[in-house]
């Protein structure tokens, strides 16, 4: 399972102009769809709606997961099926192993280590992420944005959901970090349906379908080659 269908979906935040309008697309089981477009185009709104951060009203279209309207599914079972890798992962004040293990409560250290390895984050899992300079003591390490994202990737690997929502970091990363993250993402995406807010060229190039959004509408769609020919 893991098929996602957006059927003529529109959504308006209170007192605003519509954030998305008449959006329809399908992510087949195991497929990957990349959302691209300028800031404010509606990409995050699409992810939030699928995660039921907001619910659609009767006249705003339908979102189906494996043929079922997500309004008819409990929030808990939807969140079991859908993993989120946010741009800026929230970490607890606990060691990295614990932060990864939170993806699946009751997991063994072995499982945590395996997930950490697949996310290229196995180096210092007994260290504590430090927020402030003063916390960087013997066991504290300051995590870069890329490292935080790898912790989130490991956490989601452990959770093992059939569907993934990815919000890729916008900031430029150095080449070796970029390579590590790319590997971690490949390990995560393999065999799952994914919907990504894509900034990395590699994600866009590897997507089965790219949706170009503007002012809340899909203005172009196709694979990488097809879109290149359009321009
Ligand atoms: P993107 O992810 O492509 O940058 P968003 O989905 O965040 O776009 O935003 C789409 C539109 O909805 C924008 O006009 C934005 O200002 C508006 N918007 C986004 N989030 C909220 C919110 N929580 N409340 C009100 N308006 C919002
Ligand atoms: P779980 O139910 O798997 O514990 P959470 O609801 O705690 O998942 O969310 C997992 C991560 O995704 C958290 O870092 C949270 O901030 C982030 N998140 C949750 N909902 C959204 C959303 N609508 N948009 C972006 N990030 C989200």
């Amino acid at each position: 399972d893991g098929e996602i269908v957006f059927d003529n979906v529109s959504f308006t935040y209170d007192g605003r102009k519509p954030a998305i309008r008449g959006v329809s697309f399908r992510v087949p089981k195991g497929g990957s769809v990349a959302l691209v477009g300028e800031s404010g185009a509606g990409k995050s709104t699409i992810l939030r709606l699928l995660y039921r951060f907001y619910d659609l009203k009767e006249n705003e279209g339908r979102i189906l997961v494996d043929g079922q309207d997500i309004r008819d599914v409990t929030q808990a079972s939807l969140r079991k099926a859908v993993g989120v890798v946010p741009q800026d992962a929230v970490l607890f004040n606990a060691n990295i192993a614990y932060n990864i293990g939170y993806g699946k409560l009751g997991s063994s250290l072995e499982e945590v280590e395996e997930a950490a390895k697949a996310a290229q984050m196995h180096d210092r899992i007994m260290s504590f992420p430090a927020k402030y300079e003063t916390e960087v003591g013997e066991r504290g390490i300051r995590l870069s944005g890329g490292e935080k994202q790898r912790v989130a990737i490991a956490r989601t690997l452990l959770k093992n959901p059939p569907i993934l929502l990815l919000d890729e970091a916008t900031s430029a990363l150095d080449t070796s970090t970029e390579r590590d993250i790319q590997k971690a993402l490949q390990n995560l995406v393999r065999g799952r349906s994914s919907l990504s807010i894509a900034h990395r060229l590699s994600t866009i190039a590897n997507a089965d379908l790219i949706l170009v959004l503007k002012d809340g509408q899909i203005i172009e769609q196709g694979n990488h080659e097809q879109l290149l020919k359009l321009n």
Side-chain angles (χ1 to χ4, degrees), residues 111-215:
E111 292 173 288
V112 169
E113 280 172 339
E114 198 184 318
K117 205 165 199 164
Q120 319 285 313
M121 196 60 219
H122 49 294
D123 278 357
R124 296 163 296 180
I125 61 169
M126 291 307 161
S127 304
F128 282 66
K131 271 191 202 138
Y132 308 106
E133 198 69 37
T134 51
E135 286 182 37
V136 185
E138 219 165 285
R139 292 192 304 169
I141 50 167
R142 210 175 311 109
L143 295 180
S144 67
E147 286 171 323
K148 276 203 230 169
Q149 211 175 28
R150 275 182 278 156
V151 172
I153 288 169
R155 187 186 276 173
T156 307
L157 273 165
L158 207 57
K159 179 175 165 173
N160 197 22
I163 294 174
L164 287 178
L165 304 181
L166 293 162
D167 191 354
E168 290 187 342
T170 40
S171 53
L173 301 162
D174 62 78
T175 331
S176 73
T177 308
E178 174 69 40
R179 226 180 356 248
D180 281 351
I181 294 210
Q182 214 160 290
K183 259 189 231 156
L185 283 173
Q186 278 167 5
N187 287 335
L188 183 62
V189 166
R190 192 173 302 128
R192 305 175 207 272
S193 313
S194 66
L195 186 56
S196 311
I197 296 181
H199 298 290
R200 286 181 232 291
L201 229 47
S202 57
T203 307
I204 295 167
N206 291 330
D208 304 323
L209 177 67
I210 302 160
L211 304 177
V212 184
L213 284 144
K214 189 173 188 220
D215 294 331

Side-chain angles (χ1 to χ4, degrees), residues 11-24:
F11 184 77
T12 307
Y13 294 97
D14 284 340
R16 301 278 190 126
K17 68 177 171 61
I20 58 169
R21 286 179 287 166
V23 168
S24 296

Side-chain angles (χ1 to χ4, degrees), residues 44 47-49 51 53 79-80 82-86 88-90 102-103 155 159 167:
S44 314
L47 257 53
R48 288 181 200 132
L49 288 171
Y51 202 59
F53 203 77
R79 287 186 179 192
K80 205 175 244 177
V82 179
V84 181
V85 179
D88 204 357
V90 178
Y102 177 74
R155 187 186 276 173
K159 179 175 165 173
D167 191 354

